[in-house]
Amino acid sequence: MTTTPPVTRTATATGARASALTWNLLDRRPADIRLAGSETASVTPAWAYGGADGAGVRVCVVDSGVEAGHPMVGELAGSHAVVGRDGGLTVEEVAPADTCGHGTACASIVRRVAPGCELHSVRILGENGGGTGAALLTGLSWAIEQRFDVINLSLSTSRPQFSQVLREMADDAYFNRSVIVASAHNSRIESFPWRFSSVVSVGSHAEDDSDLVLYNPDPPVEFFARGQAVRVAGPNGSTTRNTGNSFAAPHVTGLSALILGKHPRLTTFELKTILYLTAANVRGV
C-alpha cells in the first residue's frame, strides 16, 4: 500500500496521454479546463454551503492517526487504530497519536475548511508512512460500518488483489450515505480505491487559492483542489507546508462536510452533483 506523500512534481506522460487531465493539474491552469455553466443549474455556493461550518457532520480520517491536541486540529471525537489481536486484525480505541504526521496534516485541512465538524481518526499506517492492504481493508471497513458521513482516504493501494473487495466496500459506503473522498496516486499508476466511480476522487492543482475546487472533464479523477505548498499541521504542534494529492483530498472532504451540514441526508450521488455544480470552472468563474 502506498500513501500519497509530498512530491515536487509528477512527470507528464507522452503521446496521447500528455493532454489528459487525470492525476493532477500541475502543468495546467484553471482556464485550461473552463466549462460552460449549466443553463438549468440553480445551485450556488451560497445555497450549497454558505454559513455552514460542518456542525453535525461526522468525518473520519483513515490514515496514520492524528496528534493529540494539535492547535490546527483541536480535540478528536474519537481515536482508533488497526491492531493485531489473536492472529488477526481488529480496530480498537487508542489514545490520539500520529505515527508519521501524514494523518495530522490531512486532519488540519479538514478542520480549517469545516471547523465545526466532528472529527474522528483511524490509524492504519506505520512509522514510515507505509502499511498493508489488510490494514487498509480492516480500517476502511470499520469506518464504513460506523456510517461516518465523510471518510477521508489520502492513500491507496496498487495491489490488484485488493481491488474487488475495495470496490465492494466503496459501493456499500455509497449506498449507505457514507462519502469516501479518496486522493489519486501522485504517479500515473493504477491504484485503488480512488479509481472507483463510487468514491469522490481528488487530484491537486497548483493554485494558491485553498477554496478553489475544479471539476475534471477528463476522469477518472473527478475534482482538483489545492495540493501544492499547503499549510498543514506539523509534528509536535508545529506547522509546515506539504505537497501532493494527499493534501488536495481533505479540502474536498471539508467542503463535503459543509454541504452535508447545511443539507443533511444527501445521498452520495446528490453530494457529487452539488460538488460538480459549485466547481469554479462549471460555474464559469
Side-chain angles (χ1 to χ4, degrees):
M1 184 176 66
T2 57
T3 63
T4 51
V7 295
T8 55
R9 195 172 183 84
T10 299
T12 301
T14 58
R17 296 301 298 169
S19 62
L21 301 173
T22 302
W23 276 255
N24 57 47
L25 193 65
L26 304 189
D27 54 352
R28 294 171 187 251
R29 303 301 297 273
D32 297 324
I33 58 169
R34 183 179 292 116
L35 301 176
S38 170
E39 294 181 359
T40 60
S42 60
V43 173
T44 64
W47 176 89
Y49 50 83
D53 67 356
V57 180
R58 300 167 66 238
V59 177
C60 184
V61 177
V62 180
D63 210 287
S64 62
V66 175
E67 182 181 312
H70 193 290
M72 292 185 68
V73 178
E75 296 303 316
L76 294 179
S79 178
H80 292 77
V82 173
V83 299
R85 186 74 63 198
D86 300 324
L89 295 176
T90 187
V91 176
E92 296 183 359
E93 187 172 3
V94 296
D98 193 338
T99 57
C100 66
H102 192 264
T104 305
C106 293
S108 68
I109 299 171
V110 176
R111 182 64 82 196
R112 182 193 67 79
V113 178
C117 75
E118 182 180 303
L119 199 56
H120 297 253
S121 169
V122 179
R123 185 171 69 241
I124 67 170
L125 300 180
E127 293 182 0
N128 62 354
T132 66
L136 169 59
L137 297 182
T138 301
L140 181 58
S141 176
W142 181 87
I144 294 170
E145 289 171 0
Q146 306 310 305
R147 298 301 183 231
F148 288 108
D149 297 303
V150 191
I151 299 170
N152 188 87
L153 200 63
S154 289
L155 49 86
S156 64
T157 177
S158 59
R159 301 291 181 87
Q161 63 265 36
F162 298 116
S163 173
Q164 183 57 33
V165 65
L166 280 171
R167 186 186 299 274
E168 292 170 0
M169 286 183 184
D171 286 348
D172 182 44
Y174 181 93
F175 290 120
N176 285 281
R177 303 177 190 242
S178 288
V179 180
I180 298 176
V181 179
S183 65
H185 199 285
N186 281 327
S187 301
R188 291 180 179 269
I189 63 174
E190 294 287 347
S191 62
F192 316 97
W194 72 269
R195 284 288 276 108
F196 304 147
S197 59
S198 51
V199 309
V200 178
S201 54
V202 186
S204 56
H205 64 62
E207 306 305 304
D208 292 334
D209 188 351
S210 293
D211 297 323
L212 180 66
V213 174
L214 302 164
Y215 169 71
N216 180 15
D218 185 19
V221 166
E222 294 176 302
F223 298 98
F224 297 118
R226 183 177 181 182
Q228 299 292 295
V230 182
R231 183 175 179 269
V232 297
N236 303 315
S238 67
T239 62
T240 185
R241 290 191 179 272
N242 286 354
T243 292
N245 290 341
S246 283
F247 311 107
H251 286 92
V252 177
T253 292
L255 180 58
S256 297
L258 295 183
I259 295 170
L260 291 173
K262 191 165 184 179
H263 305 282
R265 302 302 296 164
L266 290 176
T267 66
T268 303
F269 172 81
E270 291 168 327
L271 175 68
K272 276 196 178 191
T273 302
I274 293 174
L275 288 171
Y276 163 75
L277 291 174
T278 56
N281 55 328
V282 174
R283 290 184 286 116
V285 297

